[in-house]
């Protein structure tokens, strides 16, 4: 099970969460968000994780596998590419109204600066028609993230989707469930909708952007079936 902890703003929390063996850290590159983090601050985190990686004993590939995801909302190609380069990101999540055509062109731009970069399209699902849109993206991105719809907030809402609606959702690419997940409800979500990955932000926070490490640890445990050896969990989807 792929696990992404989103809305990271603090270096020490990024290091601690990376060591728990998650697959991805998400950084909100949206100025209006209370979880906004600048490219310079992300760069401090990504370079420290790389330095830590160099010190990690052989046989512990976790840091090498870590996706460092910048989350963007209707940003331009140039803003995204500049942030990726400056911040040292290796994945981009498009969380706005970007079309499949935009994603295809984004992929071409990103390939020039980082050939192996991952591209994720987030969709804020309001209803069944909104869910159908996902299939338009499945051949142009590496993964689709389904998030809850809120008329006033673009993400980090703490609202859950209608999981019943997702029971038969099987796009042609990997998909991750987001929206209102927490240590308390994630096992039920996994059992019901069987996503390839999970994304959480507010459900493991004290306040916006300030992660509660004990909640993060509990979330991971619930995702992997309460096994205690977090460092040994498989990153396979
Ligand atoms: O988290 C934000 O503040 C945010 C702002 C603008 C665009 C996207 C944002 N978050 C994107 C995420 O991937 C969140 O993890 C996702 O919305 C789930 O959040 P939550 O319901 O709080 O777990």
């Amino acid at each position: 099970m792929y696990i992404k902890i989103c809305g990271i703003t603090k270096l020490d929390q990024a290091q601690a969460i990376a060591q728990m063996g998650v697959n991805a850290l998400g950084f909100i590159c949206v100025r209006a968000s209370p979880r906004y983090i600048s490219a310079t601050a992300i760069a401090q985190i990504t370079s420290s994780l790389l330095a830590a990686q160099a010190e990690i004993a052989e046989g512990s590939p976790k840091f090498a596998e870590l996706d460092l995801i910048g989350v963007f909302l209707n940003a331009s190609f140039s803003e995204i590419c500049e942030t990726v380069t400056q911040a040292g990101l290796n994945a981009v999540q498009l969380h706005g109204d970007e079309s499949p055509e935009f994603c295809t062109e984004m992929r071409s731009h990103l390939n020039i600066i980082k050939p192996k970069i991952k591209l994720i399209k987030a969709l804020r699902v309001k209803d069944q028609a909104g869910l159908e849109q996902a299939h338009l993206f499945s051949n142009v991105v590496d993964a689709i993230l389904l998030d809850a719809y809120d008329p006033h907030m673009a993400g980090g809402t703490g609202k859950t989707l209608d999981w019943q609606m997702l029971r038969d959702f099987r796009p042609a690419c990997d998909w991750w469930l987001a929206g209102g997940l927490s240590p308390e409800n994630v096992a039920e979500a996994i059992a019901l909708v069987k996503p390839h990955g999970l994304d959480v932000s507010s459900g493991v926070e004290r306040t916006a952007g300030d992660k509660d490490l004990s909640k993060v640890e509990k979330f991971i445990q619930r995702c992997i079936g309460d096994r205690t050896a977090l460092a040994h969990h498989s990153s396979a989807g």
Side-chain angles (χ1 to χ4, degrees):
M1 178 61 69
Y2 183 100
I3 303 173
K4 168 180 168 236
I5 308 296
C6 201
I8 301 289
T9 62
K10 299 177 193 301
L11 174 63
D12 58 332
Q13 294 183 355
Q15 290 168 334
I17 294 169
Q19 280 172 349
M20 290 180 196
V22 299
N23 304 94
L25 300 180
F27 303 95
I28 306 297
C29 305
V30 180
R31 284 179 194 275
S33 168
R35 301 179 184 85
Y36 171 72
I37 177 167
S38 69
T40 313
I42 301 173
Q44 283 168 359
I45 295 176
T46 56
S47 57
S48 106
L49 293 174
L50 283 176
Q53 176 189 355
E55 286 172 20
I56 284 178
E58 269 181 43
S60 179
K62 285 296 164 197
F63 276 81
E65 292 170 8
L66 195 60
D67 288 338
L68 301 163
I69 306 179
V71 178
F72 297 87
L73 186 80
N74 300 328
S76 64
F77 295 130
S78 60
E79 183 189 334
I80 295 171
C81 288
E82 277 163 28
T83 306
V84 163
T85 305
Q86 200 187 337
L89 298 167
N90 57 19
V92 165
Q93 177 178 321
L94 301 174
H95 214 93
D97 307 312
E98 301 86 1
S99 65
E101 294 73 26
F102 182 95
C103 293
T104 304
E105 208 171 326
M106 184 78 253
R107 162 85 71 202
S108 310
H109 284 271
L110 290 171
N111 279 348
I112 295 168
I113 54 167
K114 271 193 190 174
K116 288 190 177 162
I117 196 158
K118 281 188 187 164
L119 185 59
I120 299 115
K121 178 69 185 102
L123 294 166
R124 292 169 279 152
V125 180
K126 200 174 177 180
D127 49 26
Q128 189 66 39
L131 184 60
E132 296 303 323
Q133 295 291 308
H135 299 287
L136 304 174
F137 294 89
S138 59
N139 290 322
V140 289
V141 296
D142 296 288
I144 289 167
L145 179 148
L146 297 186
D147 199 1
Y149 173 80
D150 181 288
H152 307 295
M153 288 169 76
T157 65
K159 280 187 171 182
T160 49
L161 283 141
D162 174 3
W163 294 341
Q164 292 294 340
M165 191 170 75
L166 307 179
R167 291 183 78 157
D168 299 319
F169 180 62
R170 299 283 176 270
C173 65
D174 281 4
W175 77 276
W176 308 340
L177 179 66
L181 294 175
S182 68
E184 288 69 38
N185 67 10
V186 71
E188 185 191 344
I190 294 169
L192 200 65
V193 305
K194 301 179 178 58
H196 299 102
L198 298 155
D199 167 289
V200 64
S201 185
S202 57
V204 293
E205 280 180 339
R206 281 186 284 257
T207 57
D210 182 17
K211 299 300 172 204
D212 180 328
L213 296 182
S214 64
K215 284 189 187 172
V216 175
E217 197 158 349
K218 199 179 279 182
F219 183 85
I220 298 166
Q221 286 174 346
R222 297 283 158 82
C223 291
I224 62 172
D226 271 333
R227 272 175 272 138
T228 46
L230 295 182
H232 294 166
H233 88 268
S234 162
S235 66

